[in-house]
Amino acid sequence: MQQAPKAHPPLPKRVDIIEVGPRDGLQSEPEFVPTARKIELINDLVSAGIRHFEATSFVSPRAVPQLRDAKEVMQGVDRSTGAQFTTLVPNMKGAERAIEAGVDALVLFMSASESHNLKNVNCTRETSLERFREICAFAAQADVPVQGAIATAFGCPFEGEVPVAEVVRIAKAYLEMGMRVISLGDTTGMATPPLVQERCRALREAVPELEVTLHFHNTRGVGLVCAYTGLLEGITRFEASIGGLGGCPFVPRATGNISTEDLVYMLHECGVGTGVDLEHLLEAAQRTETLIGRTLPGQVMKAGPRLKTHSMDTVATANG
Ligand code: COA
Ligand code: ZN
């Protein structure tokens, strides 16, 4: 059989997939997913070879009741493979709870746009940054690494364009606090390939010490194209959610992340390694649909990988 042609532009040989479905996905589900089911979902993905999880959030249970069981989730997941479990943290109370629950790293998050930060965490961006300085000092004492996330990094549902300078400014502040890994969140699916290219290049220029992670939502159908644009820029960390679960409860008409299995499928077809077993992942995506009780947007779980052939007997012959 003829081999599929390899992608011609140089791409990274290997990338890390960070599964955010248990956090970004489940936080916006209308029904609370029972703790045992959340743990089962994460452990299923550990078995598929996923080694990085944003497992939950230590936020106010009033703001995000779906994740009120953050501690119990952290305590129930399979830690035997060395998979890394990070969680979102907005303030000192969240940091204390996350460290007590034994997370591998805190992910401090704020928005690049002022209005989204006010809506999401009820304070200005400057207050978020002040809180983060204190949290970084506290986490350093506990010897827990801290990463940073920047929401609305490609556009804001309330303000429109978000200047790249704002993203760079926050990234620099994160670096000064001692962070080495940051994530650019496309909270409402406003990223486009030119914006991804622009922001990756600006960060590489201004803060080359930072390892950049990309987080896209497929709200406007260009999520995977944005991920591919990131690959071309040499990015090696991508966040995605199983089945394409997700959204954001604090923005109108938000939809899910790019789906983990579609991303892994694309990467493998481009010769980029992930360490993830695609077949297992596709089955896990189907189990997630059962767990949630509705069809999820992921596509490869429906069509199968491209070389999954069908028996001719199962397809009717056209007679027109
Ligand atoms: N974990 C648990 N409870 C928390 C908390 C945390 N991290 N932070 C605050 N609380 C509790 C306080 O103890 C207080 O409870 P009480 O009224 O019973 O005393 C209450 O929440 C209000 O505290 P306050 O510090 O005034 O917070 P706030 O009302 O200004 O809300 C946040 C700020 C950040 C806690 C809240 O907006 C939040 O959790 N946002 C998360 C949004 C999110 O997850 N978005 C999705 C990711 S993009
Ligand atoms: Zn998101």
PDB file of all heavy atoms in Angstrom, residues 139-158:
ATOM      1  N   ALA A 139       3.452  29.584  46.840  1.00  0.00           N
ATOM      2  CA  ALA A 139       3.643  28.282  46.187  1.00  0.00           C
ATOM      3  C   ALA A 139       5.119  27.883  46.196  1.00  0.00           C
ATOM      4  O   ALA A 139       5.449  26.700  46.310  1.00  0.00           O
ATOM      5  CB  ALA A 139       3.111  28.332  44.759  1.00  0.00           C
ATOM      6  N   ALA A 140       6.000  28.887  46.086  1.00  0.00           N
ATOM      7  CA  ALA A 140       7.440  28.580  46.096  1.00  0.00           C
ATOM      8  C   ALA A 140       7.830  27.965  47.434  1.00  0.00           C
ATOM      9  O   ALA A 140       8.611  27.006  47.495  1.00  0.00           O
ATOM     10  CB  ALA A 140       8.249  29.849  45.829  1.00  0.00           C
ATOM     11  N   GLN A 141       7.250  28.483  48.503  1.00  0.00           N
ATOM     12  CA  GLN A 141       7.534  27.921  49.838  1.00  0.00           C
ATOM     13  C   GLN A 141       7.064  26.478  49.943  1.00  0.00           C
ATOM     14  O   GLN A 141       7.683  25.657  50.605  1.00  0.00           O
ATOM     15  CB  GLN A 141       6.831  28.745  50.911  1.00  0.00           C
ATOM     16  CG  GLN A 141       7.594  30.007  51.233  1.00  0.00           C
ATOM     17  CD  GLN A 141       6.947  30.776  52.376  1.00  0.00           C
ATOM     18  OE1 GLN A 141       5.807  30.511  52.759  1.00  0.00           O
ATOM     19  NE2 GLN A 141       7.677  31.744  52.898  1.00  0.00           N
ATOM     20  N   ALA A 142       5.946  26.200  49.287  1.00  0.00           N
ATOM     21  CA  ALA A 142       5.403  24.828  49.318  1.00  0.00           C
ATOM     22  C   ALA A 142       6.044  23.963  48.234  1.00  0.00           C
ATOM     23  O   ALA A 142       5.710  22.788  48.097  1.00  0.00           O
ATOM     24  CB  ALA A 142       3.893  24.886  49.111  1.00  0.00           C
ATOM     25  N   ASP A 143       6.941  24.574  47.445  1.00  0.00           N
ATOM     26  CA  ASP A 143       7.642  23.855  46.389  1.00  0.00           C
ATOM     27  C   ASP A 143       6.693  23.316  45.306  1.00  0.00           C
ATOM     28  O   ASP A 143       6.901  22.228  44.767  1.00  0.00           O
ATOM     29  CB  ASP A 143       8.459  22.701  47.004  1.00  0.00           C
ATOM     30  CG  ASP A 143       9.696  22.401  46.163  1.00  0.00           C
ATOM     31  OD1 ASP A 143      10.072  23.280  45.359  1.00  0.00           O
ATOM     32  OD2 ASP A 143      10.245  21.292  46.290  1.00  0.00           O
ATOM     33  N   VAL A 144       5.658  24.075  45.018  1.00  0.00           N
ATOM     34  CA  VAL A 144       4.710  23.686  43.971  1.00  0.00           C
ATOM     35  C   VAL A 144       4.887  24.652  42.786  1.00  0.00           C
ATOM     36  O   VAL A 144       4.795  25.868  42.965  1.00  0.00           O
ATOM     37  CB  VAL A 144       3.257  23.744  44.492  1.00  0.00           C
ATOM     38  CG1 VAL A 144       2.258  23.454  43.378  1.00  0.00           C
ATOM     39  CG2 VAL A 144       3.069  22.767  45.645  1.00  0.00           C
ATOM     40  N   PRO A 145       5.167  24.132  41.590  1.00  0.00           N
ATOM     41  CA  PRO A 145       5.345  25.015  40.424  1.00  0.00           C
ATOM     42  C   PRO A 145       4.067  25.774  40.055  1.00  0.00           C
ATOM     43  O   PRO A 145       2.968  25.294  40.329  1.00  0.00           O
ATOM     44  CB  PRO A 145       5.732  24.055  39.291  1.00  0.00           C
ATOM     45  CG  PRO A 145       6.006  22.744  39.919  1.00  0.00           C
ATOM     46  CD  PRO A 145       5.334  22.712  41.252  1.00  0.00           C
ATOM     47  N   VAL A 146       4.260  26.914  39.438  1.00  0.00           N
ATOM     48  CA  VAL A 146       3.122  27.744  39.026  1.00  0.00           C
ATOM     49  C   VAL A 146       3.224  28.021  37.531  1.00  0.00           C
ATOM     50  O   VAL A 146       4.286  28.365  37.021  1.00  0.00           O
ATOM     51  CB  VAL A 146       3.117  29.083  39.799  1.00  0.00           C
ATOM     52  CG1 VAL A 146       1.975  29.971  39.318  1.00  0.00           C
ATOM     53  CG2 VAL A 146       2.994  28.837  41.299  1.00  0.00           C
ATOM     54  N   GLN A 147       2.102  27.844  36.842  1.00  0.00           N
ATOM     55  CA  GLN A 147       2.013  28.194  35.423  1.00  0.00           C
ATOM     56  C   GLN A 147       0.979  29.308  35.279  1.00  0.00           C
ATOM     57  O   GLN A 147       0.218  29.562  36.214  1.00  0.00           O
ATOM     58  CB  GLN A 147       1.565  26.976  34.607  1.00  0.00           C
ATOM     59  CG  GLN A 147       2.484  25.776  34.774  1.00  0.00           C
ATOM     60  CD  GLN A 147       1.983  24.538  34.041  1.00  0.00           C
ATOM     61  OE1 GLN A 147       0.951  24.564  33.368  1.00  0.00           O
ATOM     62  NE2 GLN A 147       2.716  23.447  34.166  1.00  0.00           N
ATOM     63  N   GLY A 148       0.957  29.948  34.102  1.00  0.00           N
ATOM     64  CA  GLY A 148       0.014  31.054  33.924  1.00  0.00           C
ATOM     65  C   GLY A 148      -0.841  30.871  32.693  1.00  0.00           C
ATOM     66  O   GLY A 148      -0.350  30.423  31.652  1.00  0.00           O
ATOM     67  N   ALA A 149      -2.116  31.209  32.819  1.00  0.00           N
ATOM     68  CA  ALA A 149      -3.000  31.181  31.653  1.00  0.00           C
ATOM     69  C   ALA A 149      -3.516  32.589  31.385  1.00  0.00           C
ATOM     70  O   ALA A 149      -3.763  33.351  32.317  1.00  0.00           O
ATOM     71  CB  ALA A 149      -4.167  30.233  31.895  1.00  0.00           C
ATOM     72  N   ILE A 150      -3.629  32.917  30.108  1.00  0.00           N
ATOM     73  CA  ILE A 150      -4.167  34.219  29.702  1.00  0.00           C
ATOM     74  C   ILE A 150      -5.419  33.959  28.873  1.00  0.00           C
ATOM     75  O   ILE A 150      -5.334  33.466  27.732  1.00  0.00           O
ATOM     76  CB  ILE A 150      -3.138  35.025  28.879  1.00  0.00           C
ATOM     77  CG1 ILE A 150      -1.805  35.148  29.638  1.00  0.00           C
ATOM     78  CG2 ILE A 150      -3.714  36.403  28.525  1.00  0.00           C
ATOM     79  CD1 ILE A 150      -0.700  35.854  28.850  1.00  0.00           C
ATOM     80  N   ALA A 151      -6.576  34.254  29.451  1.00  0.00           N
ATOM     81  CA  ALA A 151      -7.842  34.069  28.734  1.00  0.00           C
ATOM     82  C   ALA A 151      -8.049  35.255  27.783  1.00  0.00           C
ATOM     83  O   ALA A 151      -7.374  36.281  27.899  1.00  0.00           O
ATOM     84  CB  ALA A 151      -8.997  33.966  29.722  1.00  0.00           C
ATOM     85  N   THR A 152      -8.958  35.114  26.871  1.00  0.00           N
ATOM     86  CA  THR A 152      -9.277  36.119  25.821  1.00  0.00           C
ATOM     87  C   THR A 152      -8.017  36.623  25.107  1.00  0.00           C
ATOM     88  O   THR A 152      -7.911  37.787  24.724  1.00  0.00           O
ATOM     89  CB  THR A 152     -10.099  37.339  26.359  1.00  0.00           C
ATOM     90  OG1 THR A 152      -9.328  38.070  27.311  1.00  0.00           O
ATOM     91  CG2 THR A 152     -11.403  36.905  26.998  1.00  0.00           C
ATOM     92  N   ALA A 153      -7.054  35.724  24.905  1.00  0.00           N
ATOM     93  CA  ALA A 153      -5.759  36.124  24.337  1.00  0.00           C
ATOM     94  C   ALA A 153      -5.835  36.434  22.840  1.00  0.00           C
ATOM     95  O   ALA A 153      -4.896  36.990  22.273  1.00  0.00           O
ATOM     96  CB  ALA A 153      -4.727  35.026  24.587  1.00  0.00           C
ATOM     97  N   PHE A 154      -6.951  36.055  22.192  1.00  0.00           N
ATOM     98  CA  PHE A 154      -7.080  36.301  20.745  1.00  0.00           C
ATOM     99  C   PHE A 154      -8.299  37.156  20.421  1.00  0.00           C
ATOM    100  O   PHE A 154      -8.662  37.316  19.257  1.00  0.00           O
ATOM    101  CB  PHE A 154      -7.169  34.970  19.998  1.00  0.00           C
ATOM    102  CG  PHE A 154      -5.956  34.091  20.184  1.00  0.00           C
ATOM    103  CD1 PHE A 154      -5.917  33.123  21.187  1.00  0.00           C
ATOM    104  CD2 PHE A 154      -4.847  34.256  19.373  1.00  0.00           C
ATOM    105  CE1 PHE A 154      -4.791  32.322  21.357  1.00  0.00           C
ATOM    106  CE2 PHE A 154      -3.718  33.464  19.539  1.00  0.00           C
ATOM    107  CZ  PHE A 154      -3.687  32.491  20.538  1.00  0.00           C
ATOM    108  N   GLY A 155      -8.945  37.663  21.465  1.00  0.00           N
ATOM    109  CA  GLY A 155     -10.135  38.463  21.241  1.00  0.00           C
ATOM    110  C   GLY A 155     -11.053  38.334  22.440  1.00  0.00           C
ATOM    111  O   GLY A 155     -10.999  37.336  23.154  1.00  0.00           O
ATOM    112  N   CYS A 156     -11.865  39.366  22.647  1.00  0.00           N
ATOM    113  CA  CYS A 156     -12.738  39.395  23.828  1.00  0.00           C
ATOM    114  C   CYS A 156     -14.187  39.529  23.381  1.00  0.00           C
ATOM    115  O   CYS A 156     -14.491  40.361  22.511  1.00  0.00           O
ATOM    116  CB  CYS A 156     -12.334  40.583  24.709  1.00  0.00           C
ATOM    117  SG  CYS A 156     -13.512  40.893  26.043  1.00  0.00           S
ATOM    118  N   PRO A 157     -15.096  38.755  23.960  1.00  0.00           N
ATOM    119  CA  PRO A 157     -16.495  38.836  23.526  1.00  0.00           C
ATOM    120  C   PRO A 157     -17.145  40.173  23.860  1.00  0.00           C
ATOM    121  O   PRO A 157     -18.169  40.525  23.281  1.00  0.00           O
ATOM    122  CB  PRO A 157     -17.176  37.701  24.304  1.00  0.00           C
ATOM    123  CG  PRO A 157     -16.289  37.440  25.474  1.00  0.00           C
ATOM    124  CD  PRO A 157     -14.898  37.765  25.021  1.00  0.00           C
ATOM    125  N   PHE A 158     -16.547  40.938  24.780  1.00  0.00           N
ATOM    126  CA  PHE A 158     -17.125  42.233  25.164  1.00  0.00           C
ATOM    127  C   PHE A 158     -16.408  43.408  24.498  1.00  0.00           C
ATOM    128  O   PHE A 158     -17.006  44.434  24.224  1.00  0.00           O
ATOM    129  CB  PHE A 158     -17.072  42.405  26.693  1.00  0.00           C
ATOM    130  CG  PHE A 158     -17.607  41.205  27.431  1.00  0.00           C
ATOM    131  CD1 PHE A 158     -16.788  40.453  28.265  1.00  0.00           C
ATOM    132  CD2 PHE A 158     -18.925  40.806  27.265  1.00  0.00           C
ATOM    133  CE1 PHE A 158     -17.285  39.337  28.936  1.00  0.00           C
ATOM    134  CE2 PHE A 158     -19.428  39.692  27.930  1.00  0.00           C
ATOM    135  CZ  PHE A 158     -18.603  38.951  28.763  1.00  0.00           C
TER     136      PHE A 158
END
